[in-house]
Amino acid sequence: MRREDLAVSSSDAMPESPADQATQPTWIPWLLVLLLAVTFAMRVWNGSAGLDAGRFFDERFSLRNVEMILVEGSTRPANAFYGSLSYLPQTAALWTSQWLHQLTGMEIFAIFNERAGDGWSRTAYFIVRWVCAIFGTLSVWLTFLLGRRLFDARVGLLGAALLAAFPRHVLASTEFKPDILVVLLVALTFLWSLDVVRKPSLRAFLWAGAGVGMAVAAKYTGVGVAIPLTVGVLYGGWRERRTWGWLIGAGAASVVTFALLNIHLAVIIEYLPRIWRIMETKGDATGGSRWDVLVIEAEFLVRHHRWPVMLFVIAGCIGMVRRAWDRSTDYLPRVSALMVLSYIFGYSLLYAAATKLFKGQNYLPVAVFTSLLAAWAMLGAWDRLAARWGGLRAWPLSILLWGGFLVYAFAYPYDIIYNDVIPSTQRRAEKLISQNLRPLELRHVFYETLERPLVASTPNGHWLPTIPREELFEIDTRRLDGSDAELFLAERLGGDSAASYLERATREGVRSVRLDPSWFKAHGPSLVLLLHPWKLDGEPKAIELVLESDGDNTYRALGERPDDWQATSLSIWMPLRTGPAKPRQVTVEGQEIPLFRTRRGGRRAHYTTPRFILGRSTASPGTDTLDVETAEEADSTEPGDLVLDFDSDLQLEWAPEVRLVRWNP
């Protein structure tokens, strides 16, 4: 880096030809390559975690469309939540990998796995996310080109770095959804739109129109990039008939491009009202208004840019308004400023007008331009300070200050990636629970309140009932004994209640596992997981229920009955819709036992109960505690007289399907 390179001013004029860009500092290309390498590595690293259907829920919709092509041989999409371009690049990559698998026999290339719940291998998930990482990296490169075109190479490089450090951009670059592809296509189409206003021609208009069509074919929010194209064209040529003709031609090119990429337009037309209803329903559920969306958009930029950068975004917007307003400024810089502002504010207004439901990924393309404006304002301020204090131009100080700022900028997304990729001690506990407590939907766990709820689920959609408490030692030990596991902070072993926790951890038959944080292995607090020795005593057995009387939810079981004094639980399928009341408990021969929902599917939901023992009470009325405690024997009942009494307020369409689950400690 030469001293004179640091003095290059952020130009007020948009370069009119590639020759103008030849004067960029010689260190720019090297730093750009380094930036792109870091950008790609961060996104691949983030995408490499959780290579299955459990990490990102929405990936299943795009993968279903891929499956239609690769497995069923049909180009008709299974769903049209996004356009076809949202999954065609990944489809091509997956097809290539499977072809290599068939050619070489190497399992590393296989994209299918029959043992996986959804049929896709870890390789398949890595590939589709790897493609998104490429899109994210390319969008950073295009941001550099945009910055160089609008301002100069330094602004382009810094703006690209700010976008690369934008946390939502990092996350979008690792999930198989079209959000990052839209960012890429918006940046590309904006570049083509600049060509339209710099050297208008039918060819330039058609390319820009095709770019709009591709952006919409990736995701319908891509239509916003038509705003700067229209504004830029009409700003200086709205009186010319030829301009209107070319603009109409660009519109036609976008429509044709979209139609060619979405040959099953009927599916698109069918889904658009459905998507609109979903957005309206969810938007209404937020309780906000469209004005609130505008506020949330600003909060989104502040949260991801953070205030030090956001202040420069605001300064950059003010500077662009002055440039667009100043008639003494050359035409190209003035119209380019207007186009940038039209996208930021025009798309913001368009989004708020369209829906009351804000989604950060839908607003992400705006970050391309806010990053560039922040970089422009930063370098403008730097140049003015350097003009007063020449010491800022010195190599060591420049590298120290700018290097420190970039470390600050990238530390934020790095921290997010690290916490996302490197498992927390809680996530390790959840994995151990999932591996050791099967079937999960028939188990239950007590845990001390952590930073987030304890979650464990099965591939078929069942989840584990979990009961949080501030401190486990406050719970009756007999209730804890009836559970399948306990999870608490390791620091409890040395606190005031250490004796209680140590006694729990050293009981016969209990497996104690300590989970400590370590660099690049786990993060979070040290935890202790206690796994109890409960095992199934045979397979759950279905029982036939007969309604005792009309208008009541009391059922009598025929044939099957738990043995007295044996630990038992119930597995129950009930109607999903039960009127205004929700299933909370079931009374078994006078014992009120809590119900915990573990799955919903179709028109029914699955519930499970804690373990109970006939002849003992299991829970105090009105509580949600799980209990197997000694009490006075209940009134004896004859075999075959097992009675289940559900809340009378429940409106049950059909009798619950109940299975008895027997347990041995």
Side-chain angles (χ1 to χ4, degrees):
M1 185 185 299
R2 300 190 303 265
R3 176 175 175 176
E4 58 267 29
D5 291 335
L6 295 173
V8 176
S9 174
S10 296
S11 172
D12 283 337
M14 184 176 72
E16 296 190 21
S17 68
D20 296 327
Q21 300 161 6
T23 59
Q24 70 180 18
T26 56
W27 46 266
I28 291 287
W30 296 103
L31 289 184
L32 177 62
V33 171
L34 177 61
L35 172 63
L36 296 178
V38 171
T39 298
F40 184 67
M42 289 178 66
R43 284 148 179 78
V44 170
W45 182 34
N46 192 32
S48 65
L51 296 173
D52 53 45
R55 186 177 181 192
F56 298 119
F57 180 84
D58 286 349
E59 287 184 331
R60 66 195 64 197
F61 300 113
S62 296
L63 281 170
R64 181 69 183 102
N65 286 333
V66 173
E67 183 181 350
M68 289 291 292
I69 296 175
L70 297 183
V71 178
E72 302 184 23
S74 173
T75 58
R76 181 183 177 86
N79 59 76
F81 293 112
Y82 319 115
S84 63
L85 196 56
S86 65
Y87 58 87
L88 287 179
Q90 282 85 350
T91 303
L94 289 172
W95 180 89
T96 302
S97 182
Q98 186 65 15
W99 175 76
L100 289 173
H101 166 63
Q102 295 172 349
L103 184 67
T104 64
M106 298 174 65
E107 284 299 317
I108 190 64
F109 295 117
I111 64 173
F112 301 114
N113 180 5
E114 295 180 355
R115 292 174 295 179
D118 62 346
W120 295 101
S121 69
R122 289 171 55 85
T123 296
Y125 279 98
F126 181 79
I127 288 174
V128 296
R129 295 176 189 171
W130 181 76
V131 172
C132 290
I134 293 177
F135 291 156
T137 305
L138 288 176
S139 69
V140 170
W141 174 62
L142 286 174
T143 300
F144 164 76
L145 297 182
L146 265 177
R148 188 176 67 176
R149 177 75 66 84
L150 293 169
F151 307 104
D152 64 30
R154 289 188 315 154
V155 173
L157 183 62
L158 182 56
L162 292 177
L163 181 65
F166 198 82
R168 197 63 186 83
H169 187 278
V170 175
L171 299 179
S173 300
T174 55
E175 181 181 1
F176 181 21
K177 288 182 64 180
D179 305 309
I180 197 61
L181 180 57
V182 172
V183 176
L184 169 66
L185 292 173
V186 164
L188 179 62
T189 304
F190 197 94
L191 270 172
W192 287 341
S193 299
L194 290 178
D195 289 336
V196 166
V197 298
R198 183 168 65 91
K199 289 185 178 180
S201 67
L202 179 59
R203 181 178 180 181
F205 272 85
L206 293 179
W207 273 112
V212 174
M214 287 190 292
V216 179
K219 192 171 183 178
Y220 308 125
T221 54
V223 71
V225 76
I227 297 174
L229 171 62
T230 305
V231 169
V233 170
L234 297 183
Y235 176 72
W238 65 274
R239 292 186 178 89
E240 298 182 16
R241 182 180 301 177
R242 186 179 64 173
T243 298
W244 283 98
W246 284 352
L247 187 59
I248 293 173
S254 66
V255 172
V256 171
T257 301
F258 179 83
L260 290 176
L261 290 170
N262 294 275
I263 57 176
H264 295 282
L265 283 175
V267 181
I268 300 289
I269 296 172
E270 175 188 345
Y271 262 77
L272 284 177
R274 179 178 175 182
I275 296 171
W276 181 262
R277 285 195 302 271
I278 292 173
M279 294 177 65
E280 285 295 292
T281 301
K282 291 185 176 181
D284 291 338
T286 64
S289 67
R290 285 172 167 77
W291 291 110
D292 293 324
V293 173
L294 291 173
V295 175
I296 298 173
E297 289 171 350
E299 292 174 345
F300 172 80
L301 293 175
V302 172
R303 184 169 66 253
H304 290 272
H305 275 310
R306 291 182 290 180
W307 268 114
V309 175
M310 192 62 196
L311 291 175
F312 285 102
V313 173
I314 297 172
C317 287
I318 295 172
M320 291 300 271
V321 170
R322 291 181 59 187
R323 175 188 280 194
W325 189 264
D326 188 1
R327 292 291 180 177
S328 64
T329 304
D330 291 341
Y331 169 75
L332 286 176
R334 196 167 67 249
V335 71
S336 66
L338 192 60
M339 291 171 68
V340 170
L341 293 171
S342 71
Y343 186 81
I344 294 175
F345 295 104
Y347 182 75
S348 298
L349 291 171
L350 178 65
Y351 189 15
T355 178
K356 291 182 285 187
L357 179 65
F358 177 82
K359 290 291 187 73
Q361 62 268 30
N362 294 337
Y363 195 63
L364 184 56
V366 172
V368 172
F369 304 95
T370 56
S371 297
L372 287 173
L373 292 188
W376 180 52
M378 285 181 187
L379 286 168
W382 174 268
D383 289 338
R384 287 174 175 81
L385 289 174
R388 291 191 175 189
W389 295 289
L392 289 178
R393 301 177 186 272
W395 258 63
L397 187 57
S398 296
I399 293 176
L400 179 64
L401 292 177
W402 284 109
F405 169 74
L406 291 176
V407 168
Y408 161 80
F410 277 89
Y412 188 22
Y414 171 82
D415 184 61
I416 294 175
I417 294 173
Y418 182 86
N419 290 323
D420 205 19
V421 173
I422 304 301
S424 65
T425 50
Q426 179 178 340
R427 197 188 306 175
R428 290 182 61 191
E430 292 168 345
K431 184 176 181 180
L432 283 171
I433 289 171
S434 298
Q435 292 172 341
N436 289 276
L437 302 183
R438 295 182 180 178
L440 278 181
E441 64 270 20
L442 301 180
R443 308 282 189 159
H444 61 277
V445 173
F446 279 105
Y447 72 99
E448 291 190 340
T449 306
L450 301 169
E451 61 181 18
R452 63 174 178 82
L454 188 72
V455 177
S457 60
T458 64
N460 63 354
H462 284 284
W463 58 85
L464 171 75
T466 57
I467 304 94
R469 291 291 184 270
E470 287 297 325
E471 294 189 38
L472 295 190
F473 88 94
E474 298 176 348
I475 304 173
D476 191 302
T477 57
R478 290 166 295 184
R479 297 176 179 176
L480 295 175
D481 290 342
S483 68
D484 293 280
E486 304 166 46
L487 182 65
F488 56 86
L489 296 169
E491 64 186 36
R492 305 295 190 202
L493 298 175
D496 296 336
S497 54
S500 174
Y501 285 96
L502 285 170
E503 188 277 329
R504 300 293 306 162
T506 55
R507 286 175 304 124
E508 183 179 357
V510 172
R511 178 187 170 195
S512 177
V513 182
R514 184 177 176 117
L515 304 165
D516 293 312
S518 59
W519 195 245
F520 282 102
K521 290 185 178 180
H523 63 88
S526 294
L527 302 175
V528 175
L529 175 65
L530 305 182
L531 296 168
H532 297 177
W534 288 104
K535 295 186 182 298
L536 284 172
D537 182 10
E539 293 295 321
K541 292 187 177 180
I543 58 176
E544 183 180 353
L545 298 181
V546 176
L547 186 65
E548 285 278 84
S549 61
D550 294 336
D552 197 358
N553 285 328
T554 300
Y555 294 84
R556 183 177 298 276
L558 302 179
E560 285 291 340
R561 170 188 173 84
D563 298 330
D564 285 350
W565 306 102
Q566 181 178 26
T568 307
S569 63
L570 301 178
S571 171
I572 306 173
W573 282 100
M574 298 179 65
L576 180 62
R577 303 185 187 281
T578 57
K582 300 297 181 184
R584 302 294 184 188
Q585 63 184 28
V586 58
T587 302
V588 183
E589 298 186 356
Q591 302 179 27
E592 295 180 346
I593 304 172
L595 287 173
F596 293 93
R597 196 170 78 173
T598 68
R599 187 186 182 187
R600 59 175 295 178
R603 296 177 55 198
R604 62 181 191 164
H606 181 264
Y607 294 83
T608 189
T609 71
R611 296 178 182 87
F612 61 91
I613 296 176
L614 289 183
R616 300 183 181 186
S617 67
T618 63
S620 301
T623 70
D624 63 352
T625 54
L626 305 183
D627 197 356
V628 180
E629 63 180 45
T630 304
E632 296 181 3
E633 290 192 27
D635 295 337
S636 61
T637 54
E638 297 298 328
D641 285 344
L642 179 66
V643 176
L644 306 180
D645 187 8
F646 295 92
D647 192 331
S648 60
D649 292 335
L650 297 178
Q651 300 173 10
L652 302 179
E653 300 177 22
W654 35 266
E657 301 172 10
V658 181
R659 292 178 182 270
L660 290 178
V661 186
R662 296 181 171 88
W663 299 92
N664 286 326

